[in-house]
Amino acid sequence: MTTANDLPQPTIAIVGYGSQGRAHALNLRESGFDVSVGLRPGGPTEAKAKADGFVVKTPAEAVKNADLVAVLTPDMVQKTLYNEVLAPNMKAGACLLFAHGLNVHYGLISPREDLDVVLVAPKGPGALVRREYEIGRGVPCIYAVHQDRSGNAEQLALAYAAGLGGARANVIKTTFKEETETDLFGEQAVLCGGASALVQAGFETLVEAGYQPEIAYYEVLHELKLIVDLFYEGGITRMLEFVSETAQYGDYVSGPRVIDASTKARMKDVLTDIQDGTFTRNWIAEYEAGLPNYKKFKQADLDHPIEAVGKQLRAKMVWLAANASQPDTDEQAAA
């Protein structure tokens, strides 16, 4: 059985210092790795990384002598970052690591032939990755190998996952294809797109029927945390144990009326667009055009009446300020 002591100890360059980048860098350093951080001079996170005690270099300098380079910048800057900074400066035979496989899977990045190319993706936001590590636990990680030129790529990925604390929880092998496509689908159909649209539609239905917006907010958004926490702790089984029989019966008879076979068919359409590259091509075109639709869609969400109602109600929930999550954004222009 492989133990943490059997795994390699590469020198690591973290490129990007957003929520994930900071969590990775701190966890890996505290796990005994030699970690440096690559950021553009004067960028928004340079001071934070220095305050955390890291040697901060330009990305080009940081990667030159690193055995492993972890790319923890937003998806849409990674192609330019790789082509202009990483590929010309990474040493021969190094390992290139991603936390999401989009750029490699869809061919936006074609890694150098001499490099090991791996993926390690913690299944949680950076703040949680850090917090769980600090209290002696860990967030489950999935990992994949795209190129194994050294014969040691899988061991490097496992060492990195262990350094994050993932081995304390669970580490599962996957592929770049599976990680990318399931991650995009989960975000779009359930976690972000699906959940947001469901909450907004529920709010609108109640308000349009004459109910108070404040009551509607509590019923369709505020109480969602209770259900999600139960899902997280023990799946649907635990949720059913803790809600009333009335709620259970409503689940059984009304859930399928809202999320029916046609909903699942549309989910399959979403998945098809992800699998055949349509979503990524559209996202690249949107990004290159200056994000006009993205900005319009985002503003529409920010302007939805549920947001104004929620802001007023949350202001009375004094406990929220201390526990507020920080955005899980990454260094926007590490190059």
Side-chain angles (χ1 to χ4, degrees):
M1 178 179 178
T2 300
T3 68
N5 292 332
D6 299 323
L7 296 170
Q9 292 281 308
T11 58
I12 297 174
I14 301 290
V15 183
Y17 204 73
S19 180
Q20 283 286 348
R22 182 173 187 267
H24 288 219
L26 290 169
N27 290 8
L28 290 162
R29 183 175 67 184
E30 291 173 21
S31 293
F33 290 90
D34 179 359
V35 179
S36 61
V37 176
L39 299 171
R40 60 171 180 164
T45 52
E46 181 184 28
K48 183 184 292 186
K50 287 182 176 179
D52 286 335
F54 286 103
V55 174
V56 179
K57 306 175 182 178
T58 66
E61 285 297 318
V63 306
K64 280 184 177 179
N65 296 311
D67 300 317
L68 186 151
V69 174
V71 182
L72 299 174
T73 59
D75 291 328
M76 303 314 291
V77 305
Q78 288 183 12
K79 178 180 178 179
T80 299
L81 173 66
Y82 175 77
N83 289 336
E84 296 183 3
V85 179
L86 305 186
N89 290 290
M90 286 179 65
K91 69 180 183 180
C95 180
L96 180 63
L97 181 145
F98 295 89
H100 180 42
L102 184 146
N103 277 275
V104 171
H105 176 53
Y106 292 112
L108 305 176
I109 290 176
S110 297
R112 276 177 13 202
E113 286 295 319
D114 64 290
L115 300 175
D116 286 342
V117 182
V118 302
L119 177 150
V120 176
K123 301 316 293 177
L128 182 65
V129 172
R130 180 61 183 156
R131 185 165 65 249
E132 288 294 292
Y133 183 93
E134 288 181 303
I135 60 178
R137 300 191 303 227
V139 170
C141 292
I142 60 177
Y143 78 96
V145 176
H146 178 72
Q147 281 183 187
D148 184 9
R149 296 295 178 254
S150 70
N152 202 34
E154 183 168 6
Q155 291 297 95
L156 287 168
L158 288 170
Y160 190 97
L164 294 182
R168 300 172 180 173
N170 194 19
V171 180
I172 300 176
K173 189 173 185 178
T174 184
T175 63
F176 272 63
K177 171 182 169 64
E178 184 175 61
E179 184 278 332
T180 302
E181 294 177 0
T182 57
D183 184 78
L184 292 175
F185 177 81
E187 291 170 349
Q188 295 173 32
V190 180
L191 304 177
C192 302
S196 296
L198 187 66
V199 166
Q200 289 173 341
F203 178 85
E204 291 165 5
T205 299
L206 288 176
V207 172
E208 289 166 8
Y211 300 103
Q212 295 179 68
E214 294 81 4
I215 302 300
Y217 175 88
Y218 281 132
E219 295 301 334
V220 305
L221 191 154
H222 179 80
E223 291 195 29
L224 186 61
K225 183 183 187 308
L226 166 66
I227 303 303
V228 170
D229 285 349
L230 292 171
F231 281 160
Y232 182 82
E233 292 168 6
I236 294 173
T237 298
R238 185 162 178 82
M239 182 272 289
L240 294 174
E241 291 173 354
F242 280 81
V243 300
S244 69
E245 291 175 334
T246 303
Q248 290 181 45
Y249 182 68
D251 174 333
Y252 305 143
V253 300
S254 297
R257 295 173 65 190
V258 177
I259 308 298
D260 60 11
S262 65
T263 307
K264 187 174 178 181
R266 291 190 295 275
M267 283 184 166
K268 290 183 177 180
D269 291 340
V270 169
L271 181 57
T272 296
D273 283 352
I274 291 167
Q275 291 172 324
D276 67 16
T278 298
F279 169 78
T280 298
R281 287 192 296 272
N282 290 344
W283 175 220
I284 292 170
E286 174 71 16
Y287 184 82
E288 292 179 346
L291 303 173
N293 293 303
Y294 169 93
K295 293 174 182 176
K296 179 178 68 176
F297 297 148
K298 184 172 184 176
Q299 194 60 49
D301 271 355
L302 297 176
D303 291 340
H304 193 280
I306 199 172
E307 293 305 298
V309 173
K311 185 176 182 180
Q312 294 172 3
L313 294 175
R314 290 190 298 273
K316 303 178 186 301
M317 304 177 198
V318 295
W319 63 90
L320 289 179
N323 298 322
S325 298
Q326 295 301 310
D328 198 32
T329 54
D330 294 301
E331 171 72 15
Q332 292 295 317

